[in-house]
Amino acid sequence: MRDREKRIRRALWDIVDWGERLMDHVEGRTEEEFRANRLLQDAACRCIEVIGEASRRLMELDPTLPARHPELALREAYAARNRIVHGYDGIDYGIVLAAARHSVPRMVAAARAVIPPDPA
């Protein structure tokens, strides 16, 4: 497998791994619990940052990927990362929680569907 293909595969797996971490963090939590728990908020934001950075890498490695697989929502994930990193003083944790519950599971499923098979 070529280096570029390995890097694409790694970035897709990063989306899956960090997305599943995020889903685990918020599973069974109420919005009130989430808003009251700074450690949980920080963990959720970190997961979104990594997912967004992996999305940026994918777009850089294969600029056709967003058009071929819009279900990955790579641009949106990178934009969310940027909002958290650069707008850290105005994070809306309700939006973070909604993303963790709705957008991230869809993205994880989409990433799993497009991960190239392991070479034999």
Side-chain angles (χ1 to χ4, degrees), residues 20-38:
E20 287 177 346
R21 289 182 195 200
L22 178 53
M23 292 184 292
D24 287 345
H25 293 326
V26 302
E27 185 177 352
R29 306 284 184 145
T30 65
E31 184 170 349
E32 293 74 28
E33 288 173 319
F34 184 78
R35 287 181 180 278
N37 188 325
R38 291 173 127 184

Side-chain angles (χ1 to χ4, degrees), residues 82-100:
N82 287 340
R83 280 190 298 274
I84 287 173
V85 170
H86 300 293
Y88 61 88
D89 57 343
I91 295 171
D92 182 332
Y93 291 105
I95 292 173
V96 171
L97 183 58

Side-chain angles (χ1 to χ4, degrees), residues 3-21:
D3 182 58
R4 179 177 167 273
E5 291 165 347
K6 285 181 187 176
R7 292 172 60 204
I8 288 171
R9 183 179 176 76
R10 178 72 254 155
L12 287 165
W13 275 115
D14 284 341
I15 289 171
V16 170
D17 180 37
W18 287 85
E20 287 177 346
R21 289 182 195 200

Side-chain angles (χ1 to χ4, degrees), residues 49-66:
E49 289 171 10
V50 174
I51 292 167
E53 186 60 22
S55 297
R56 181 199 62 79
R57 288 180 185 179
L58 285 167
M59 291 186 293
E60 187 176 282
L61 289 164
D62 184 352
T64 70
L65 202 56

